[in-house]
Amino acid sequence: MLEDIIKAEIDKKDIISVDQFMEYALFHPDYGYYTKKDPIGRAGDFTTAPEISQIFGELIGAWLAYCWQEMGAPPDTKLIELGPGHGTLMHDILRATRNIPSFHDSIRVCMVETSPTLRRLQQQKLQYSHPLIKWFDDINNIEESPSLIVANELFDALPTKQFVKTGQIYKERGVIYNKDGFAFSLYNEPVADKRIEKLLAQEPYCHLSESSIVEISLASIDMMRSLSKRMLSHKGVGLLIDYGYALNPAMKKTSETLQAVRQHQFSNVLEHVGECDLTTHVNFSLLATIAEQEGAKSSPSLEQGTFLKAMGIDIRGEILCKNLLEETQKDDIIKGIYRLTDPSEMGNIFKAMSFYSPILPMPTIFREFFHDC
Ligand code: SAH
């Protein structure tokens, strides 16, 4: 069904862009992957950090509450989570911060979620945790106020365009279909979007070698602009965690990172449309540039393992283990910490990046690793 809808669109235009294809596959209002499916957990397609260990949300809660105190503990703060999945991260944030004086009385929890299926799960999980939790489709519908913002594995799900270096220029990559199904192809016309042209003229893109693939997500750029603007009218701090990379201006070649995952296995991006999670690695350098362009500040990204260790994940694990009687439960805690922090697991490929109001210092942990500039 979804395949027929996409084919009809290709019939009209001959080719559709990779981000349009992703938009259909992930977010079509009736048949999109996120619209109809609960993708997270053992029975789904992938597992995320908050589902691996409760400590992940506890430490992020502690970090957010500390930032709130550094903002001067404003009494009308919005605690905003984008793309909350099962609601586990917010559940653990709220549980871990309930004894911090005045914090719960000062926050309004705002969940930004586009999937009706996941929104229902979040409502079931959170209805007793905190009064007055509200759900939104779009961050731009949340009234301006002091803000604490968190997003784990949101940006990797936002649709991305792809461009292929062909001779001296870039051509946009798109999706067509033939007798064997969907296939990648290149647009004939050169790139016309001024925003993209400007980006592709910068380092490292301007000197990349033949057949390099560059991924640019306009959806991520728009999202980052909205988040950054919130940092200007009132005090605010945000934390983004995702698998991704920082750009090196000297790099000579880039490849695609677009991938499909289905039932915890890699799958073909163009097959089982609407049944697989499609993601790309997040370009943290670009997000930081957007934040700065809007007048907000941003930190460099820090490996997830480094961030969680600096937040005391090992000590928290020891305390939890001391209070547990069953060896299997202790084992789960230790394995969870290993998975979140070890470089061979999620410790290095996942990164944390903060952004914040220009009148605030760089947030804790980040300022201990990077010069406050
Ligand atoms: N943060 C969760 C879930 C990650 S999966 C966790 O760590 O477990 C990605 C989440 O982002 C899903 O909840 C998905 O429905 C949501 N999402 C995708 N695009 C979105 C958008 N534009 N705005 C808000 N939520 C979005």
Side-chain angles (χ1 to χ4, degrees), residues 7-73:
K7 281 178 183 170
E9 192 62 18
I10 295 175
D11 278 341
K12 275 195 252 162
K13 301 179 172 165
D14 295 333
I15 184 166
I16 61 169
S17 58
V18 172
D19 61 343
Q20 281 165 342
F21 181 83
M22 288 179 79
E23 181 72 39
Y24 276 113
L26 297 178
F27 304 112
H28 184 278
D30 296 318
Y31 308 110
Y33 175 76
Y34 278 107
T35 317
K36 62 185 167 67
K37 233 186 128 158
D38 170 15
I40 304 163
R42 214 168 274 176
D45 297 308
F46 60 92
T47 303
T48 56
E51 307 298 327
I52 291 170
S53 173
Q54 66 178 74
I55 306 178
F56 184 77
E58 291 171 349
L59 297 181
I60 289 179
W63 187 86
L64 290 167
Y66 190 83
C67 290
W68 172 75
Q69 283 165 345
E70 288 205 325
M71 282 158 58

Side-chain angles (χ1 to χ4, degrees), residues 26-27 34-35 37 39-40 46-51 56 81-89 111-116 118-119 122 136-139 150-159 219 223 241 277:
L26 297 178
F27 304 112
Y34 278 107
T35 317
K37 233 186 128 158
I40 304 163
F46 60 92
T47 303
T48 56
E51 307 298 327
F56 184 77
E81 184 179 359
L82 300 146
H86 284 183
T88 308
L89 175 58
M111 309 286 270
V112 184
E113 176 58 72
T114 45
S115 154
L118 290 173
R119 195 184 269 218
Q122 293 155 19
F136 298 83
D137 282 329
D138 187 336
I139 175 104
V150 63
N152 185 58
E153 288 208 49
L154 166 79
F155 279 89
D156 68 353
L158 299 182
M223 176 75 85
I241 301 182
D277 187 34

